[in-house]
Amino acid sequence: MKSIWPLGLAGVLLFSIAPQTEATADAEPTSTITLYEQHCGSCHGNDRLGRMGPALLPGNLSRLNKKKAIQTITQGRSATQMPAFEKTLTPPQITALTDYLYTPPKEQPDWTLNDIKASHTVPVPMDQLPEKPVYKADMMNLFVVVELGDHHVTLLDGDRFKPIHRFPSRYALHGGPKYSPDGRFVYFASRDGWITQYDLYSLQVVAEIRAGINTRNLAISHDGRFLMAANYLPHNLVLLDARELKPLKTIEARGENGQTSRVSAVYTAPPRGSFIAAMKDIKEVWEIPYHEVPVSDYASWVHDYRQESGEGNALKTQFPIRRIVTRDYLDDFFFDPDYRHLIGTSRDSGKSRGMVVNLDVRREIAEIPMAGMPHLGSGITWDYQGREVMASPNISKGMVSVIDMADWTVIKTIETLGPGFFMRSHEQTPYAWTDVFFGPKNDAVHVIDKKTLDIVKTLRPMPGKNAAHVEFTKDGRYVLLSVWDMDGALIVYDANTLKEIKRLPMKKPSGKYNVWNKISYSRGTSH
Ligand code: DHE
């Protein structure tokens, strides 16, 4: 691997993204690289390989023409942390920066299977772990809470709402951490490619590996054998053994047309025994079955890895790719509860529609007309008047769409105080919660009655501070909500009375993940 940022450079620059100076026509001429480092480097990396923001190399910009790139730098990008630079930079400076982004780097960055293997560490091997937890708690009602503000994770007792432990994470964890099927191990992915396996019994890191340079997310097979990481850079998927993160295989994201692609995300489809990955730069969805892999073969690959440090022969033929060609790119997607359908959207098609892909017949079978930019990845489902509905927030308009999953019609559009990012519910609660993540009213959270589809209450947990992302306790009786601020908090509400129960100060808490809700694939949460 060539030219990578120093890994120890924690998030000191993270909050310096906002434009700081006023642009003037007679500003001193500045070299483009200095300009880039001054305004873009803290989020996208001085080497353009991505940090909190994505990598900015020509190979990752195939869907963005220069005109759109200029528009993005000038006006910012909705649903991301990308600010507008029109008050900071002059039009010629923006054009120069854009040209620079489309200039290939001196050395093409790469991260091969050998690089991945070389990054692998196992501080505490599995056979040295204790049999029982080193503390007392209901292990099924634990939460991990990601604190983005100072890159830490808090492990919380979900009965008493007391922190059990707080430990440093890799820089910029993103996406939901994934649990092993028994809930003992949790796996985190950071935007700069690190995968960490953490033991919730003994409170220590078991293994770590760098699976990519710029990573999207991580999925774990429902049988707990495999992990798959989806990358923006390089353009690939990386298969790991979930026991101690041994790397098994890299799968290049190359379409039928020969073009390579960033991977939008990868998820597990438990009833299918497959990983499902959507491509970002080619119009394809991939199903990669793992259920056909016999346990005995799997054991022999691990043996191969240990003995020869190479890919086992069996690996070369296993994990076939089943391609589904779609009409549009899939940036964001969701599944129905039995994983027969994938519902996806393209963020820049301007067509505002959801594509429904049947994974059995492997083609698009319906289109859902939807306004704005639905955030399907945050969708949830529940029973409504005897049918299954899904609800999705919208990252460009103040609305929640409720969709009938039998005929794919929008049965209600619920107006909200602004565009939202996350939604949550639980089988045992009458309510669904949605935030108003973007816009001036982002301190509000709406509570929707799942029977009437009306907003019944709007809470403002800390006026003036961004309230977002809730998660329920195992029994659905309490809701934990984040206030996304360096002086933020995790606030616990009674899920029925909607009264505040407790407030724990935290540093920009982002997502929180309940062990039981995740391993039981609750319909009210993300998977
Ligand atoms: Fe996320 C989940 C993509 C920006 C916080 N986000 C996800 C997932 C995807 C995704 C595909 C599901 C992964 C999983 O759980 O396995 N996110 C994207 C984007 O494409 C987008 C818009 C632009 C980008 O920069 O990548 C984006 N996301 C953000 C943010 O700016 C957020 C608010 C702050 C951050 O951490 O960068 C953010 N995303 C989250 C969180 C989850 C997430 C907290 C997990 C939600 C959950 O409950 O599972």
Side-chain angles (χ1 to χ4, degrees), residues 113 116-117 119-122 125-127 187 195 197 206-211 225-228 238-250 298-307 309-310 315:
L113 189 60
I116 297 172
K117 283 176 181 164
S119 72
H120 186 206
T121 57
V122 184
M126 300 269 279
D127 55 13
Y187 301 89
I195 311 297
Q197 177 183 8
V206 176
E208 275 202 304
I209 194 159
R210 193 171 189 195
R225 287 190 292 164
F226 304 109
L227 292 178
M228 192 166 271
V238 178
L239 182 73
L240 305 171
D241 180 349
R243 272 183 74 88
E244 297 178 356
L245 305 181
K246 295 174 192 70
L248 297 174
K249 187 174 180 155
T250 59
Y298 158 65
S300 76
W301 300 341
V302 176
H303 179 78
D304 280 345
Y305 168 80
R306 285 189 176 143
Q307 299 298 313
S309 75
L315 262 173

Side-chain angles (χ1 to χ4, degrees), residues 74-250:
T74 309
Q75 296 169 9
R77 195 176 181 89
S78 59
T80 70
Q81 319 275 327
M82 174 73 190
F85 283 89
E86 60 192 340
K87 294 205 176 120
T88 318
L89 300 170
T90 61
Q93 285 176 318
I94 291 176
T95 305
L97 271 178
T98 306
D99 288 339
Y100 176 58
L101 303 185
Y102 288 85
T103 310
K106 278 197 197 116
E107 283 183 293
Q108 203 52 42
D110 200 6
W111 193 248
T112 65
L113 189 60
N114 281 338
D115 293 318
I116 297 172
K117 283 176 181 164
S119 72
H120 186 206
T121 57
V122 184
V124 187
M126 300 269 279
D127 55 13
Q128 290 175 22
L129 296 176
E131 279 175 20
K132 291 189 179 147
V134 295
Y135 54 94
K136 280 205 166 48
D138 174 356
M139 301 304 284
M140 293 295 111
N141 199 24
L142 297 179
F143 287 82
V144 297
V145 185
V146 173
E147 288 182 68
L148 264 190
D150 61 353
H151 308 278
H152 274 69
V153 172
T154 291
L155 178 66
L156 194 78
D157 180 330
D159 290 338
R160 288 177 278 265
F161 307 118
K162 277 196 175 154
I164 294 166
H165 188 47
R166 190 171 190 267
F167 53 95
S169 72
R170 284 280 170 182
Y171 174 76
L173 297 183
H174 176 241
K178 303 287 151 46
Y179 292 104
S180 57
D182 61 359
R184 169 163 191 166
F185 299 104
V186 59
Y187 301 89
F188 300 98
S190 69
R191 285 190 184 261
D192 62 2
W194 283 97
I195 311 297
T196 305
Q197 177 183 8
Y198 190 85
D199 178 28
L200 294 176
Y201 280 21
S202 62
L203 306 177
Q204 55 194 335
V205 171
V206 176
E208 275 202 304
I209 194 159
R210 193 171 189 195
I213 299 171
N214 193 194
T215 293
R216 294 307 290 157
N217 81 323
L218 180 72
I220 181 165
S221 62
H222 73 289
D223 56 16
R225 287 190 292 164
F226 304 109
L227 292 178
M228 192 166 271
N231 286 328
Y232 267 9
L233 195 70
H235 292 177
N236 67 9
L237 290 151
V238 178
L239 182 73
L240 305 171
D241 180 349
R243 272 183 74 88
E244 297 178 356
L245 305 181
K246 295 174 192 70
L248 297 174
K249 187 174 180 155
T250 59

